[in-house]
Amino acid sequence: DAGVIQSPRHEVTEMGQEVTLRCKPISGHDYLFWYRQTMMRGLELLIYFNNNVPIDDSGMPEDRFSAKMPNASFSTLKIQPSEPRDSAVYFCASSVGTEAFFGQGTRLTVV
Amino acid sequence: KQEVTQIPAALSVPEGENLVLNCSFTDSAIYNLQWFRQDPGKGLTSLLLIQSSQREQTSGRLNASLDKSSGRSTLYIAASQPGDSATYLCAVRSHGQNFVFGPGTRLSVLP
């Protein structure tokens, strides 16, 4: 398996634009997590899914953020409209059982 | 709410030294604890996973221990090498099934 795949690896966008981050989990994994990493706040959980169903989205900062998992092999995290304070590295992770595996992350810069 | 801390925040050692990284968590009702390594600009690589029923896990020069009752875990690195330089993160998985991360320890091993 190629591991957790995220795209794009880097995204630079202007304030106010819509941004969509994508994640393909490891096949057979039933949990999918979206994290955000910044220097100030470290790794923060945004939302996670179990069997494609959102379980906890309490970490989503505000209504500008939304996440979907239409099937077991794909998830998106959308920010609309984007703001400079959304600049961070966004990680997707998946797990089955107990161990988590992370993607390489998407570095988002909002100017 | 689970909180995870790591000490020290940064560590610089000469090559060949044995070293210990510390992780503490506030809620002992955990499923497991996982240690990760993160290289600059990269994703997270899983190093060791300790189930709540286990006391320690070993992989090569790495040994991780878990004392659930006291809310502590240590990562022991033997005979450190410059290639070990990275940020080391611990993450605790609780009953909510999500992972809570510590802020990390930034390790530099000097040749």
Side-chain angles (χ1 to χ4, degrees):
Chain A
D1 200 312
V4 177
I5 300 173
Q6 292 186 245
S7 64
R9 291 294 310 279
H10 303 274
E11 177 80 35
V12 180
T13 190
E14 291 185 348
M15 181 174 62
Q17 297 297 308
E18 176 180 297
V19 176
T20 299
L21 311 181
R22 297 172 175 79
C23 175
K24 176 178 168 55
I26 294 173
S27 177
H29 283 196
D30 56 352
Y31 281 88
L32 184 139
F33 306 83
W34 282 101
Y35 284 87
R36 178 171 67 177
Q37 186 177 39
T38 60
M39 288 292 291
M40 291 296 294
R41 301 173 68 90
L43 272 160
E44 300 175 286
L45 177 70
L46 299 176
I47 185 171
Y48 75 96
F49 297 82
N50 178 219
N51 292 321
N52 313 338
V53 176
I55 302 301
D56 183 356
D57 65 353
S58 60
M60 297 285 261
E62 48 200 273
D63 292 345
R64 297 185 297 106
F65 285 69
S66 63
K68 294 182 179 179
M69 191 165 186
N71 57 62
S73 59
F74 184 66
S75 177
T76 59
L77 178 67
K78 184 177 295 186
I79 308 172
Q80 165 64 19
S82 57
E83 296 181 2
R85 60 191 168 124
D86 301 330
S87 297
V89 180
Y90 291 80
F91 286 103
C92 175
S94 69
S95 76
V96 61
T98 55
E99 188 170 5
F101 296 87
F102 278 71
Q104 291 298 300
T106 295
R107 181 174 297 276
L108 173 65
T109 303
V110 183
V111 298
Chain B
K1 179 185 174 185
Q2 180 73 270
E3 293 183 2
V4 181
T5 56
Q6 291 186 246
I7 294 174
L11 182 63
S12 184
V13 300
E15 181 177 5
E17 274 204 7
N18 303 324
L19 55 98
V20 175
L21 309 181
N22 298 288
C23 172
S24 298
F25 46 96
T26 55
D27 185 353
S28 62
I30 65 171
Y31 275 155
N32 62 50
L33 185 144
Q34 196 167 350
W35 282 93
F36 294 87
R37 168 185 172 139
Q38 186 176 29
D39 293 286
K42 303 294 186 183
L44 280 70
T45 301
S46 180
L47 297 174
L48 289 165
L49 171 71
I50 311 177
Q51 304 290 358
S52 62
S53 58
Q54 296 175 323
R55 298 284 291 182
E56 66 177 336
Q57 283 286 333
T58 299
S59 176
R61 294 181 295 108
L62 305 180
N63 175 275
S65 67
L66 174 65
D67 184 344
K68 201 172 70 165
S69 61
S70 67
R72 294 180 183 177
S73 176
T74 61
L75 179 66
Y76 176 82
I77 303 177
S80 58
Q81 303 171 357
D84 295 330
S85 298
T87 296
Y88 291 80
L89 297 138
C90 72
V92 172
R93 193 168 195 182
S94 300
H95 292 286
Q97 292 295 329
N98 61 297
F99 294 83
V100 178
F101 279 83
T105 293
R106 190 169 61 254
L107 173 65
S108 294
V109 181
L110 307 175

